[in-house]
Amino acid sequence: MNCLRSSEQILMDEMVPSPESLATKDHTSSVRSSRAGEAGQKPDTGNIEEAESSLRESGCLNYEEARALLGRYEYQKGNIEAALHVFEGIDIASVTPKLKLALAERVQTQKKRSRSFSTPPLSINAVSLLLEAVFLKAKSLQALQRYKEAAQSCTVLLNILESSLPAGLPETFATDCKLQDTLNKAVELLPELCKLADAPRETIMSYRRALLHQWNLDIQTTAKIQKEFAIFLLYSGGESCPPNLQSQMDGSFVPRNNIEEAILLLMILLRKISLQRIEWDPSILDHLSYALSISGGLKTLASKVEELLPRTIDRQEMSLILALCYYGGGDDFTALNLLRKLLSSTEDHSCVPGLLLASKVCAENPDCASEGIIYAHKAIERLQERCSHLLGVANCVLGLSLTAHSRTVLTDSERVKIHSDALKSFESAGKLTKMSDTNVIYHLCLENAEQRKLDVAVHYANWFLKLEGGSTLKGSMLLARVLSAQKRFLDAETVINVALEQSGKWDHGALLRTKAKLQIAQGQVKNAIETYTQILAILQVQRRSFRLGEDLKEFGDHCRMLELETWLDLASIYIKLSQWRDAEKCLSKTEAISSYSACRLYTAGLLNQSKGLYKAALGDYSNALAVNPSHVRSLVSSAVVLRKIGKQSPAIIRSLLTEALSLDRMNASAWYNLGLLYKEGGLGSAAEAADCFEAAIILEETEPVEPFR
């Protein structure tokens, strides 16, 4: 540019072979149009310095270099289209061999630490200038929304550098020119261009290329690419082929899918944070939390959070995250202890998220339910005149804790009061959340159903399905159970059939089991057996389709439990039909699944009881209670067998039945057998027996085919 300003026309002619050959001929109008704004814009002085350096080294500026300079000048002024026209005049294919040779010779010269006698075809500054022109061409195409062409231009740049410098760009290059800066920007830009071009496969390949090739990127740039790649893998919606990591050592972990690859990248980033190589970024933990939660790795997340340095994350936030991780991983005891420790401190005793989570955890354990009520009341007190939605959530967890606490109360009057308070809490939660929170609506339906307010329960179940778009498995099954309690078996079966049409094949198991029980209630035993056979067929296909690893353990446990319940349901059908051999075959199938299941031992007792083998049946029921002391059906059946044998005192039989009723007040069979005992054993008055029979009749009339919960 200094030469252009001077009067040395001979040197000018060497730099530019012909004025006609540059952009001055084809783009005069675009240059003129930009002159109005030239006064307020200051071109990069790097143009002048680089031109001077190139001139000193080679004595002239060739056609491509001149276009590169002019194109950059236009690009910096904001004349994108004019810059693109200039860049398109550069024949990059013809200069590529020179670029590769110049780069290779420069690396060899530096390795030998001596000057080579052969003159490189291009100076290193000329190489930097031309490659920057390729990059700016890609940026210009991006600005004009020509993303596919932009990605191709960027790929050309990286191909040249990758083939010329397989070991990466030497660190000394950065001191000589802007090549490393251009490379960093190009490596970052290519995946973004592929995303904009809607090419997910090419996006993933470009991200992997950026991370696996030795570009000598700085740690911040690498971390940024790793984070963006992980985000794309998690939320792009597609599934890519696993990476080919042949360079890895044998036995190294190779991700099998998008989620695993994203988790690996995010864990690497967390490790860098722990080593203080990069700054703390809370979004990394957010994305990792999501990835591990959907893949069943919450305990792994807990271990990664515990590895963070103390001042990296707030102590209160860390305690809450760890509690959520352990709670989601099924370790309620550890989660509750963490929350107790958090809430016992003076500054965190009123932490609303901690109070809500603690109350929810306590609600799932009747022994801690009273503690959960205290936490919920504290949360409600803190949320007064604040967020109405959170206040609604607090009322909801209060209702859950009250419902759980009612199972430990001995007197009927206190139990009725607690249930009434729980229903009021759920109703308050519904009003505060404007009847838009599906979790609140679901528990409103459940509480009304258990209190046998079935019309209200049906209303809330339909509202829940409406909020969920009509395609939720949980809502469909609850509605079907409430309808079955109203003895509307055909309507309930229709709900299940609609849910079967709208759900995936792997979700059909639980729906088909409910359908089979509805068919039994209608006397369609043959149809029910066929439905159970469908369940077993689905489970068999699932076993062949999946290799259940650690990440699918929860799904595998669910399948085994469903298979166990299906065989036991079939055994119960055959027992009622007095087909002993078929019932025994079904029971033998369950032994390999879970030989010490309380439900399996109970069904074996039913088989012996139906055969008249009362002592063997009593032994089976005793074994079932040894496995699960709260197994209500075994308590009731033990009382029935003891009453038939007649060798035990009525007081022992009554204690079994009253214990069963303390666990499940809605058990019609327990009320009926207690009424018989009062009538025959002389332990109670005729009025007490009548009350028991009346309760049994009312409960039987409103009994669902499956428990509401």
Side-chain angles (χ1 to χ4, degrees), residues 123-143:
S123 69
I124 195 61
N125 285 298
V127 170
S128 176
L129 184 64
L130 289 169
L131 291 178
E132 186 190 25
V134 178
F135 171 73
L136 292 178
K137 179 183 175 182
K139 291 290 289 182
S140 301
L141 289 165
Q142 180 189 13

Side-chain angles (χ1 to χ4, degrees), residues 94 247 267 359 392 438 532:
S94 64
S247 61
M267 283 186 171
S359 180
T438 54
Y532 281 122

